[in-house]
Amino acid sequence: MLTLKTVTRTFPNGKMAFRDLSFEAQPHEVIGILGTSGCGKSSLLRVIAGLDSEYQGSILIDQAPLQGIHERVGVIFQEPRLMPWLNVIDNVSFGLRGDSDTNRKKALEFLQLVGLEGFERHYPKELSGGMAQRVAIARSLVTSPDILLLDEPFSALDAFTKMQLQDLLLQVWKKCQSTMLLVTHDIDEALYLSDRLLILRGQPGELVEVIEVTESRPRSRGSERLARQKQEILQLLHLTAEKTGEVQDDTNIWERHPAARRELSFKGLS
Amino acid sequence: MTHSARFTGIILGGILPLVLLVIWQVLCSQGVFQPYLLPSPLAVLDSIVELAKDGSLWAHIGITMYRILLGFLLGVGLAILFGSVVGFYPLAQRLLDPTLQAFRSIPSLAWVPLFLLWMGITETSKITLIAVGVFFPTYLNLVSGIQGVDRKLIEVGKVYRFSNRQLIHRIILPASLPSFLVGLRGGLGVGWMFVVAAELLGASQGLGYLLVFGQNTTAPEIILASIVLFAILGKFTDALLAKVEWRALHWQDSLVHKR
């Protein structure tokens, strides 16, 4: 479906976003991409979306090299990015081509799917954040993309709306059968939604681990197995406190941040 | 806005002018101001009625409106042309914008002698002057509107593989509309300023001519009548544009558009 072979993205200023990423996404698979901030997760999505074309390595969609923006790829951004001058139904059908009557019907169908029937004539300013993101989901699905890229789609929402929309996403995913690539910094979200997790670490980001999430769906958010995997991920990302105590001792910090030590000794503090 | 809310708005906004008019009238009838310097409001009203009776009022208003309309359309047309080219094409901006900015810094009245020399005391020179005035605010706002379009919205269009034409038509133009309409209103305001200038400097008809006429015949009530008419017409045309703006921008999430 989607294949990446040693893809590296370098910014015009010479800095690397991520390095030598290779993986393959199967049809109808949900891949979560997890990493601390700055590890190039969003840059990765932009490259696959075709919005950034400056990269090395190769990206194949259905065995064909990616050229620009692929028509079978849909994107859901962190913000809804609705056109404020269009009402909900026109926003949903924004990317559709051809006969406007058919487009409207199709848009209506997807509005029902995301639970916004009756809001067709509302304008974005009248919607809550969660509703606006639902519209964005409908807009990206209405073109029936084979690959759906999601860039921290729920990170701006409150905890409850977030959970609702995660369930909604799974629901529409079952129906639409797209392959999904979900970038997130929320480990619970990644474990709840994904079949497979790619863990990125460092600057530039590198793939450190691929974790299979085998828990069957529907998953329980409180599942013990997921909790264990969460612990594993936290360790991979170096986010756990040392076992001996909550506070890490000083030497440890210096080992991890040689630059900080150098700076301190330069100031004569070390 | 509901009907009653608008009504309350008119009443609230009308209190201060009404009070000032009454004070003005009282002071005049008390003889505080000399009538040959500052006539009373009623005297000003009288002279307006007088002008209306012999029909010359409509001719003056008509010709002034005609000049401002043509000048406005010409200025806006040119602003759309240059503004969109400069807004869309970075190369055009680098080529044209510095020159246009330099022209902008010329006080527009400095053009008057040149226009008079080239075109004489004609309608053409007046309309050209007004168009120059209208052009700059409209142009500047259009350019900043186009360049200020949220890159994130354009990306949405790119994901749907819009052509450049589609991007302009479906995202950039609607997104820059608010700024453009602000420019139109600003341009209209400047247009009114320039119609006065144009008519002061050489006209045999028009509200600006009435100003000169009033000065030459030491008739302050005519000058004031002309000023009042300018105020009314200016407010009226601005309200017209404001209405267009409200209709076109009802989707905006700003304070005034909250229902």
Side-chain angles (χ1 to χ4, degrees):
Chain A
M1 182 91 247
L2 170 72
T3 314
L4 272 75
K5 287 180 192 155
T6 60
V7 177
T8 300
R9 158 88 171 128
T10 315
F11 291 119
N13 63 10
K15 266 196 165 175
M16 261 187 268
F18 53 84
R19 191 159 57 188
D20 289 340
L21 278 187
S22 303
F23 67 90
E24 194 166 340
Q26 306 304 323
H28 196 47
E29 188 182 21
V30 183
I31 296 190
I33 299 168
L34 252 178
T36 44
S37 65
C39 69
K41 336 185 265 298
S42 291
S43 307
L44 173 63
L45 271 207
R46 293 181 60 84
V47 165
I48 299 173
L51 290 168
D52 290 333
S53 51
E54 306 279 303
Y55 61 88
Q56 294 91 50
S58 61
I59 300 177
L60 307 172
I61 291 180
D62 288 332
Q63 314 307 325
L66 179 70
Q67 274 165 343
I69 292 155
H70 198 279
E71 59 177 329
R72 312 300 312 143
V73 171
V75 183
I76 297 178
F77 297 98
Q78 186 175 352
E79 326 80 17
R81 300 197 184 185
L82 304 179
M83 305 297 142
W85 55 88
L86 296 179
N87 60 23
V88 165
I89 191 100
D90 289 338
N91 260 300
V92 173
S93 59
F94 189 68
L96 289 173
R97 276 145 219 256
D99 179 53
S100 63
D101 271 354
T102 351
N103 290 350
R104 271 187 96 75
K105 250 181 230 154
K106 221 170 160 191
L108 202 60
E109 200 181 298
F110 278 87
L111 265 186
Q112 285 166 356
L113 190 64
V114 298
L116 281 181
E117 213 183 340
F119 284 90
E120 300 88 33
R121 306 220 158 273
H122 284 59
Y123 282 85
K125 69 169 176 178
E126 300 160 323
L127 304 177
S128 69
M131 282 156 86
Q133 198 59 311
R134 280 171 195 257
V135 177
I137 293 175
R139 176 180 66 186
S140 65
L141 290 172
V142 79
T143 54
S144 22
D146 293 333
I147 300 173
L148 188 59
L149 308 174
L150 302 101
D151 187 5
E152 304 188 13
F154 309 131
S155 63
L157 303 173
D158 66 84
F160 298 110
T161 314
K162 197 176 194 171
M163 288 189 224
Q164 275 176 355
L165 285 200
Q166 286 164 354
D167 288 326
L168 174 78
L169 187 69
L170 284 179
Q171 208 181 309
V172 293
W173 167 72
K174 255 185 227 154
K175 209 168 165 151
C176 302
Q177 304 282 314
S178 320
T179 301
M180 295 204 292
L181 243 65
L182 169 79
V183 157
T184 177
H185 51 229
D186 180 339
I187 302 177
D188 296 311
E189 176 172 284
L191 284 167
Y192 188 66
L193 295 175
S194 314
D195 298 313
R196 224 164 15 130
L197 285 180
L198 310 182
I199 313 289
L200 263 54
R201 197 177 64 199
Q203 271 172 328
E206 283 176 271
L207 188 59
V208 285
E209 186 78 58
V210 178
I211 296 178
E212 304 275 341
V213 188
T214 47
E215 181 98 344
S216 62
R217 291 193 176 93
R219 292 174 187 163
S220 145
R221 291 180 193 274
S223 150
E224 230 173 275
R225 212 150 105 210
L226 292 186
R228 249 180 282 124
Q229 287 193 303
K230 179 175 181 179
Q231 198 57 35
E232 191 186 330
I233 295 167
L234 285 171
Q235 261 156 21
L236 277 169
L237 291 172
H238 296 325
L239 288 173
T240 41
E242 301 296 301
K243 285 189 200 88
T244 45
E246 308 85 274
V247 185
Q248 297 150 331
D249 66 54
D250 287 351
T251 51
N252 226 331
I253 288 177
W254 298 144
E255 263 162 37
R256 279 208 221 116
H257 302 282
R261 174 150 76 181
R262 248 177 284 137
E263 200 176 312
L264 281 184
S265 60
F266 172 71
K267 287 177 184 160
L269 289 171
S270 191
Chain B
M1 229 186 292
T2 61
H3 207 75
S4 69
R6 193 179 304 173
F7 191 65
T8 341
I10 290 174
I11 295 214
L12 280 179
I15 292 176
L16 187 63
L18 214 66
V19 169
L20 288 176
L21 274 177
V22 170
I23 293 176
W24 178 10
Q25 179 67 40
V26 169
L27 287 178
C28 282
S29 52
Q30 296 295 315
V32 178
F33 302 126
Q34 300 300 322
Y36 67 87
L37 288 177
L38 184 64
S40 72
L42 286 178
V44 173
L45 190 67
D46 263 353
S47 70
I48 294 180
V49 172
E50 204 68 28
L51 284 166
K53 264 187 196 154
D54 68 11
S56 60
L57 179 68
W58 312 118
H60 290 306
I61 291 180
I63 192 77
T64 298
M65 291 295 274
Y66 163 80
R67 285 166 187 153
I68 201 158
L69 182 70
L70 279 193
F72 182 70
L73 290 181
L74 186 64
V76 167
L78 288 173
I80 290 176
L81 187 71
F82 281 95
S84 26
V85 170
V86 166
F88 290 135
Y89 303 105
L91 181 66
Q93 183 183 18
R94 285 159 70 186
L95 278 173
L96 291 174
D97 201 50
T99 315
L100 287 171
Q101 295 292 346
F103 272 99
R104 188 171 76 101
S105 60
I106 300 172
S108 315
L109 292 181
W111 293 108
V112 171
L114 199 61
F115 287 171
L116 288 182
L117 194 67
W118 284 348
M119 298 169 252
I121 304 179
T122 57
E123 291 306 308
T124 323
S125 62
K126 292 185 191 69
I127 289 165
T128 311
L129 186 68
I130 295 166
V132 168
V134 171
F135 174 81
F136 285 106
T138 317
Y139 164 81
L140 289 175
N141 277 286
L142 181 58
V143 171
S144 80
I146 291 172
Q147 291 179 343
V149 175
D150 192 350
R151 206 178 43 84
K152 290 178 170 174
L153 293 185
I154 296 179
E155 262 178 17
V156 174
K158 284 193 174 154
V159 168
Y160 290 119
R161 313 204 313 156
F162 281 6
S163 64
N164 275 342
R165 241 196 73 207
Q166 282 173 309
L167 284 179
I168 290 172
H169 175 66
R170 300 193 58 186
I171 298 177
I172 299 176
L173 284 185
S176 54
L177 193 63
S179 178
F180 175 62
L181 288 174
V182 167
L184 277 192
R185 284 177 77 178
L188 185 68
V190 178
W192 277 107
M193 236 163 75
F194 277 51
V195 83
V196 177
E199 290 181 346
L200 276 179
L201 291 160
S204 51
Q205 244 186 347
L207 291 176
Y209 162 76
L210 273 188
L211 292 171
V212 186
F213 178 76
Q215 186 200 355
N216 291 343
T217 56
T218 357
E221 66 278 2
I222 292 199
I223 299 180
L224 282 168
S226 169
I227 289 176
V228 167
L229 287 170
F230 269 125
I232 292 172
L233 289 176
K235 178 70 195 153
F236 170 72
T237 49
D238 185 63
L240 222 61
L241 273 189
K243 187 143 188 152
V244 170
E245 194 177 322
W246 202 82
R247 283 260 169 98
L249 302 182
H250 62 92
W251 48 268
Q252 266 194 328
D253 192 11
S254 57
L255 195 62
V256 273
H257 288 97
K258 281 262 161 67
R259 272 185 269 169

